[in-house]
Amino acid sequence: MPLTIEHLQAGGAARMRELNALFAEAFGDPESYAAEPPDDGYLAHVLGQRHAIVLVALEEATVVGGLVAYELPKLERARSEIYLYDLAVAAPHRRRGVATRLIEHLRGLARERGAWVVFVQADHGDGPAIALYQKLGAREDVLHFDIAVDRLERS
Protein backbone atom coordinates (compact mmCIF):
# COMPACT_ATOMS: atom_id res chain seq x y z
CA MET A 1 0.00 0.00 0.00
CA PRO A 2 1.28 3.50 -0.73
CA LEU A 3 2.47 5.48 2.25
CA THR A 4 1.89 9.22 2.47
CA ILE A 5 3.39 11.65 4.96
CA GLU A 6 1.17 14.47 6.23
CA HIS A 7 2.43 17.53 8.13
CA LEU A 8 -0.24 18.36 10.72
CA GLN A 9 -1.28 21.99 11.10
CA ALA A 10 -3.86 23.78 13.26
CA GLY A 11 -6.74 21.74 11.81
CA GLY A 12 -5.10 18.40 12.62
CA ALA A 13 -6.54 17.68 16.07
CA ALA A 14 -8.25 14.43 15.04
CA ARG A 15 -5.08 13.02 13.48
CA MET A 16 -3.08 14.16 16.52
CA ARG A 17 -5.45 12.17 18.72
CA GLU A 18 -4.84 9.11 16.52
CA LEU A 19 -1.09 9.65 16.81
CA ASN A 20 -1.27 10.00 20.60
CA ALA A 21 -3.18 6.71 20.75
CA LEU A 22 -0.45 5.09 18.64
CA PHE A 23 2.23 6.55 20.96
CA ALA A 24 0.37 5.23 24.03
CA GLU A 25 0.33 1.73 22.53
CA ALA A 26 3.84 1.73 21.06
CA PHE A 27 5.50 3.16 24.18
CA GLY A 28 3.31 1.21 26.63
CA ASP A 29 2.50 4.55 28.28
CA PRO A 30 -1.24 5.27 28.26
CA GLU A 31 -0.83 7.46 31.36
CA SER A 32 1.21 10.04 29.44
CA TYR A 33 -0.49 9.83 26.04
CA ALA A 34 -4.13 9.02 26.74
CA ALA A 35 -5.12 9.70 30.36
CA GLU A 36 -5.70 13.47 30.08
CA PRO A 37 -6.02 14.38 26.39
CA PRO A 38 -5.91 18.09 25.59
CA ASP A 39 -8.97 19.70 24.03
CA ASP A 40 -9.21 20.65 20.36
CA GLY A 41 -8.43 24.31 21.09
CA TYR A 42 -5.14 23.43 22.75
CA LEU A 43 -4.17 21.04 19.95
CA ALA A 44 -5.05 23.64 17.30
CA HIS A 45 -2.98 26.25 19.13
CA VAL A 46 0.14 24.06 19.41
CA LEU A 47 -0.18 22.52 15.94
CA GLY A 48 -0.51 26.03 14.50
CA GLN A 49 2.86 27.11 15.89
CA ARG A 50 5.84 26.96 13.56
CA HIS A 51 8.16 25.37 16.12
CA ALA A 52 5.89 22.33 16.64
CA ILE A 53 6.38 19.79 13.84
CA VAL A 54 4.06 16.79 13.70
CA LEU A 55 4.25 14.31 10.84
CA VAL A 56 1.98 11.31 10.40
CA ALA A 57 2.48 8.36 8.07
CA LEU A 58 -0.78 7.27 6.49
CA GLU A 59 -1.78 4.10 4.71
CA GLU A 60 -5.11 4.86 3.13
CA ALA A 61 -6.66 7.03 5.87
CA THR A 62 -5.04 5.20 8.81
CA VAL A 63 -2.22 6.63 10.92
CA VAL A 64 0.46 3.91 10.97
CA GLY A 65 3.29 6.02 12.34
CA GLY A 66 4.29 9.51 13.27
CA LEU A 67 6.68 11.84 14.93
CA VAL A 68 6.68 14.98 17.02
CA ALA A 69 9.62 17.36 16.76
CA TYR A 70 10.39 20.89 17.86
CA GLU A 71 12.42 23.59 16.15
CA LEU A 72 14.78 25.29 18.58
CA PRO A 73 16.14 28.67 17.45
CA LYS A 74 19.75 29.12 18.55
CA LEU A 75 21.47 32.26 19.79
CA GLU A 76 25.13 31.46 19.19
CA ARG A 77 24.47 31.52 15.42
CA ALA A 78 21.53 32.44 13.22
CA ARG A 79 20.34 28.86 12.83
CA SER A 80 18.14 26.33 14.50
CA GLU A 81 18.16 22.70 15.56
CA ILE A 82 15.30 20.23 15.32
CA TYR A 83 14.67 18.01 18.35
CA LEU A 84 12.95 14.77 17.36
CA TYR A 85 11.01 14.11 20.55
CA ASP A 86 8.68 11.18 19.79
CA LEU A 87 8.69 8.66 16.94
CA ALA A 88 6.64 5.49 16.71
CA VAL A 89 5.28 3.07 14.14
CA ALA A 90 2.36 0.71 14.75
CA ALA A 91 3.60 -2.85 15.33
CA PRO A 92 2.18 -4.40 12.13
CA HIS A 93 3.93 -1.71 10.04
CA ARG A 94 7.42 -1.88 11.54
CA ARG A 95 10.50 -2.92 9.55
CA ARG A 96 8.95 -1.48 6.37
CA GLY A 97 10.76 1.86 6.20
CA VAL A 98 8.01 3.96 7.78
CA ALA A 99 10.26 5.51 10.45
CA THR A 100 12.98 6.22 7.89
CA ARG A 101 10.46 7.93 5.60
CA LEU A 102 9.23 10.09 8.48
CA ILE A 103 12.77 11.11 9.43
CA GLU A 104 13.69 11.84 5.81
CA HIS A 105 10.63 14.10 5.52
CA LEU A 106 11.66 15.84 8.75
CA ARG A 107 15.18 16.33 7.38
CA GLY A 108 13.69 18.03 4.33
CA LEU A 109 11.68 20.40 6.53
CA ALA A 110 14.79 21.07 8.61
CA ARG A 111 16.76 21.94 5.48
CA GLU A 112 13.99 24.29 4.28
CA ARG A 113 14.02 26.06 7.66
CA GLY A 114 17.79 26.46 7.74
CA ALA A 115 18.30 24.06 10.64
CA TRP A 116 21.77 22.58 10.82
CA VAL A 117 20.93 19.31 12.58
CA VAL A 118 18.12 17.00 13.70
CA PHE A 119 18.88 15.40 17.05
CA VAL A 120 17.15 12.60 18.92
CA GLN A 121 17.73 10.58 22.07
CA ALA A 122 17.21 6.85 22.42
CA ASP A 123 16.65 4.82 25.54
CA HIS A 124 19.20 2.19 26.56
CA GLY A 125 17.91 -1.19 25.44
CA ASP A 126 15.83 0.15 22.54
CA GLY A 127 17.83 -1.73 19.94
CA PRO A 128 15.64 -1.02 16.89
CA ALA A 129 15.60 2.75 17.54
CA ILE A 130 19.35 2.84 18.19
CA ALA A 131 20.06 0.89 15.00
CA LEU A 132 17.87 3.26 12.97
CA TYR A 133 19.49 6.39 14.38
CA GLN A 134 23.00 4.97 13.91
CA LYS A 135 22.17 4.27 10.27
CA LEU A 136 21.07 7.88 9.77
CA GLY A 137 23.44 9.89 11.95
CA ALA A 138 26.38 10.17 14.29
CA ARG A 139 26.08 8.95 17.87
CA GLU A 140 26.87 11.19 20.83
CA ASP A 141 26.99 9.77 24.32
CA VAL A 142 25.31 12.28 26.62
CA LEU A 143 23.44 12.22 29.89
CA HIS A 144 19.82 13.32 30.20
CA PHE A 145 18.32 14.74 33.38
CA ASP A 146 14.70 15.59 34.18
CA ILE A 147 14.51 18.53 36.58
CA ALA A 148 11.05 18.64 38.15
CA VAL A 149 9.48 22.08 38.17
CA ASP A 150 7.40 21.47 41.30
CA ARG A 151 10.49 20.56 43.34
CA LEU A 152 12.34 23.84 42.98
CA GLU A 153 13.39 25.22 46.30
CA ARG A 154 13.42 28.92 46.95
CA SER A 155 16.26 30.46 48.90
Side-chain angles (χ1 to χ4, degrees):
M1 258 182 228
L3 184 74
T4 58
I5 306 296
E6 181 179 317
H7 183 176
L8 299 187
Q9 304 292 321
R15 289 259 195 252
M16 188 67 233
R17 291 186 193 294
E18 290 178 63
L19 182 57
N20 276 339
L22 189 151
F23 286 156
E25 171 90 17
F27 301 149
D29 190 3
E31 178 64 29
S32 295
Y33 293 92
E36 296 180 39
D39 64 31
D40 286 353
Y42 179 85
L43 291 175
H45 173 72
V46 175
L47 290 170
Q49 295 185 28
R50 178 178 161 83
H51 75 274
I53 303 166
V54 180
L55 303 176
V56 291
L58 302 167
E59 277 192 3
E60 306 268 320
T62 302
V63 173
V64 299
L67 65 78
V68 174
Y70 301 95
E71 182 175 5
L72 305 172
K74 303 298 288 181
L75 295 171
E76 73 276 5
R77 291 190 185 185
R79 65 183 183 183
S80 63
E81 299 175 350
I82 306 291
Y83 177 37
L84 173 47
Y85 183 75
D86 278 332
L87 169 66
V89 176
H93 300 274
R94 293 181 187 149
R95 312 288 309 153
R96 294 172 43 197
V98 176
T100 301
R101 288 269 312 273
L102 285 161
I103 292 171
E104 288 302 325
H105 195 94
L106 179 63
R107 288 173 75 185
L109 290 172
R111 198 170 13 266
E112 289 171 12
R113 293 171 179 224
W116 76 282
V117 70
V118 173
F119 69 99
V120 63
Q121 66 185 40
D123 294 330
H124 290 283
D126 190 349
I130 292 168
L132 172 65
Y133 303 146
Q134 283 180 324
K135 178 178 81 169
L136 298 173
R139 179 179 172 153
E140 290 187 30
D141 288 320
V142 298
L143 299 174
H144 170 102
F145 299 90
D146 289 334
I147 300 171
V149 174
D150 62 348
R151 293 189 188 151
L152 292 178
E153 294 184 26
R154 300 187 184 235
S155 30

